[in-house]
Amino acid sequence: MRASRVPESVAMSTPAIPGRLTASDPQLSERQRHVFGRLVALHRRDARPVSSERLGRAPELRRSGASLRGTLAELEEMRLLERPRAGGGRVPSTSGWEYFVRVMLEPAALPAEVEDAVAERLSQSRHDVEHLLQEASRLLASFSHQLGLALAASLEDEALVSLELEPLGERRALLVLGLSGHRSRTLVLELDTPLERQALREVSEVLREQLLGGTLSSARERLASDPALARHSAVRIVARAAAAGWRRPVETALLTAGVSHIAEQPEFADGARLTPVLRALESGTHLERLMVSGLQGHAGVSVGVPVEHGLAGLSLVSFPLPGAVSGAVGVLGPMRMDYATTIALVDLVGARVADLLSA
């Protein structure tokens, strides 16, 4: 039985989600599905093209070589498979990987210790958006062995709704700036003059009176240069410390972790292939757009990021954050990544980040 051919212009504008079928999905016969699934598993293992001879060694596929080659030719005609080199073995195409994700992927259950580690480590960073996102990217990199990503929109225009100062020692204090949407920005201040706890309380009262209701950006600017704040000696000490440690806007741009994991993949054994990926990470713009596309609150897969953006041969699993924070977490890796585990991990981390941001 020969299934219908996948159209040349398979829609890839929205991330693939397991179970979300499309009208263009081919109806594979049981044998075509079995051969395709086995080839995917073999290619995932070592990144090498799969020959019909290698595929035929599988006990469940031991039939005539001509029959197996015919099935592979059918899958290639449907554009689910392709040959990197003429006459060589086959690999799943971009369309093939997307079909695999949407139609054939079996859900993965994460070990309890992974779930516990995610909950514990993210909870420790829940009071600061940037720290929370950085920890999310580290967790995703660590457990997926790929590149972990996280981003959120700039906090500069968020309204300042609360302010607290707590002593951390004779010459150190913690400044906690509460923002709208249950978010916050925390700063450890290095004071050039010691301040007692009572003095910090008085400074807190002055700063709340002067800064609450404005934006985070205006608070940063006033702490650096407002003469009204400089009139109070203790306030001046705190303002100087805040200005010294808070000189740039809070952009929370694209955060990454685990670049070494990408470098270790067979696809990047040639160092020249890694250079455009690193450049794409530095610019971040295209990845940021991809990460926030898709269905909020659900992990989706952008299979085969376009070549012109320097990310050829890679896929992005991303979780657009629901709620007040515009952002996402995700994992970037080769198209042959372990999608079942990666999707489960991105779903877990994304949902936990979203919960902490809305708590």
Side-chain angles (χ1 to χ4, degrees):
M1 174 182 176
R2 180 165 298 201
S4 59
R5 175 174 171 170
V6 175
E8 292 187 13
S9 57
V10 176
M12 306 243 179
S13 57
T14 58
I17 295 176
R20 179 176 285 182
L21 310 183
T22 71
S24 63
D25 288 332
Q27 299 297 313
L28 270 60
S29 69
E30 183 177 351
R31 176 164 173 76
Q32 288 170 335
R33 185 183 178 96
H34 197 70
V35 169
F36 180 66
R38 183 60 181 163
L39 186 143
V40 166
L42 288 172
H43 178 62
R44 272 204 60 247
R45 187 178 303 168
D46 57 17
R48 294 190 293 119
V50 180
S51 66
S52 57
E53 291 77 13
R54 181 183 172 202
L55 191 61
R57 296 188 196 113
E60 67 272 22
L61 295 178
R62 283 181 181 167
R63 295 187 183 179
S64 73
S67 173
L68 182 56
R69 287 192 293 274
T71 303
L72 290 170
E74 293 167 3
L75 293 169
E76 190 173 352
E77 185 180 345
M78 288 184 275
R79 301 184 183 275
L80 297 179
L81 301 179
E82 62 186 14
R83 297 175 189 254
R85 293 181 300 276
R90 296 171 174 88
V91 300
S93 64
T94 301
S95 298
W97 281 118
E98 181 171 297
Y99 175 85
F100 176 76
V101 168
R102 286 188 291 98
V103 181
M104 297 179 62
L105 195 66
E106 296 291 336
L110 295 173
E113 54 267 28
V114 171
E115 296 185 358
D116 292 343
V118 167
E120 179 181 356
R121 287 172 57 181
L122 290 181
S123 294
Q124 293 173 359
S125 303
R126 65 185 181 275
H127 296 303
D128 187 287
V129 175
E130 191 169 358
H131 291 169
L132 178 64
L133 293 173
Q134 186 67 76
E135 190 60 37
S137 69
R138 292 192 188 108
L139 283 165
L140 289 168
S142 175
F143 289 121
S144 71
H145 303 291
Q146 306 292 349
L147 186 71
L149 305 171
L151 73 101
S154 171
L155 303 179
E156 286 291 283
D157 294 329
E158 295 292 337
L160 187 62
V161 297
S162 66
L163 184 150
E164 299 294 336
L165 262 175
E166 294 292 336
L168 293 178
E170 189 178 50
R171 291 177 177 266
R172 302 178 82 216
L174 181 68
L175 175 61
V176 182
L177 303 167
L179 308 175
S180 59
H182 305 284
R183 288 168 282 178
S184 65
R185 172 67 169 163
T186 59
L187 296 166
V188 175
L189 307 182
E190 303 291 341
L191 308 175
D192 55 25
T193 303
L195 291 177
E196 300 290 338
R197 182 182 292 271
Q198 181 58 38
L200 288 176
R201 287 176 181 163
E202 293 172 1
V203 172
S204 298
E205 292 177 6
V206 173
L207 293 180
R208 279 194 285 266
E209 180 180 340
Q210 294 291 323
L211 302 180
L212 293 191
T215 65
L216 187 63
S217 175
S218 66
R220 178 171 56 86
E221 293 171 359
R222 292 190 63 189
L223 284 169
S225 59
D226 192 334
L229 298 179
R231 286 199 296 266
H232 307 267
S233 59
V235 175
R236 187 166 60 249
I237 292 168
V238 170
R240 276 201 304 265
W246 188 15
R247 294 178 179 174
R248 60 182 178 84
V250 185
E251 297 290 351
T252 57
L254 182 65
L255 302 170
T256 65
V259 172
S260 61
H261 294 310
I262 287 283
E264 292 167 358
Q265 300 298 327
E267 288 87 344
F268 299 99
D270 176 3
R273 291 197 62 191
L274 187 60
T275 301
V277 175
L278 298 179
R279 286 177 181 157
L281 292 174
E282 286 177 0
S283 66
T285 305
H286 182 68
L287 270 177
E288 291 171 10
R289 286 198 298 267
L290 276 179
M291 287 178 67
V292 298
S293 66
L295 187 62
Q296 286 190 350
H298 294 272
V301 184
S302 298
V303 180
V305 183
V307 176
E308 61 267 25
H309 298 289
L311 300 171
L314 299 179
S315 287
L316 173 69
V317 181
S318 60
F319 183 104
L321 296 171
V325 176
S326 175
V329 299
V331 165
L332 184 71
M335 282 199 289
R336 63 179 183 87
M337 73 167 73
D338 180 355
Y339 288 106
T341 300
T342 304
I343 289 172
L345 180 63
V346 172
D347 254 329
L348 172 66
V349 173
R352 184 59 181 161
V353 168
D355 287 345
L356 290 171
L357 289 174
S358 62

